[in-house]
Amino acid sequence: MRIGVGKVIGRLDQGILGVEVVLSMQEGGKHKLHIPPLLAYGPEHAGCFSGDCNIPGNSTLLYDINFVRV
């Protein structure tokens, strides 16, 4: 995915582009990112397709990020 161009939720951009992550960003690098509900989708459901929603409202999002190429 492309980071920093508004294609993902803002906190994901911020979390990946944060100072500590940028300093450790190199091919093969790994990072864990936790996004609380208020900085993610809040009370709204997300990831909905044909009436099924993959992300319930008020969910904390957890990402395991693997840097493949910078």
Side-chain angles (χ1 to χ4, degrees):
M1 72 181 130
R2 295 187 63 203
I3 301 300
V5 295
K7 297 293 184 182
V8 296
I9 61 172
R11 184 60 183 124
L12 184 55
D13 272 342
Q14 291 172 339
I16 293 175
L17 296 174
V19 174
E20 74 280 355
V21 178
V22 170
L23 292 175
S24 66
M25 195 183 314
Q26 54 186 314
E27 290 184 17
K30 296 181 180 186
H31 183 70
K32 290 189 181 291
L33 183 63
H34 299 253
I35 303 175
L38 291 177
L39 297 174
Y41 298 106
E44 301 297 322
H45 297 295
C48 301
F49 302 97
S50 301
D52 293 324
C53 295
N54 297 320
I55 304 171
N58 295 315
S59 292
T60 296
L61 304 181
L62 307 173
Y63 289 90
D64 287 318
I65 301 166
N66 298 309
F67 296 108
V68 176
R69 183 176 53 210
V70 180

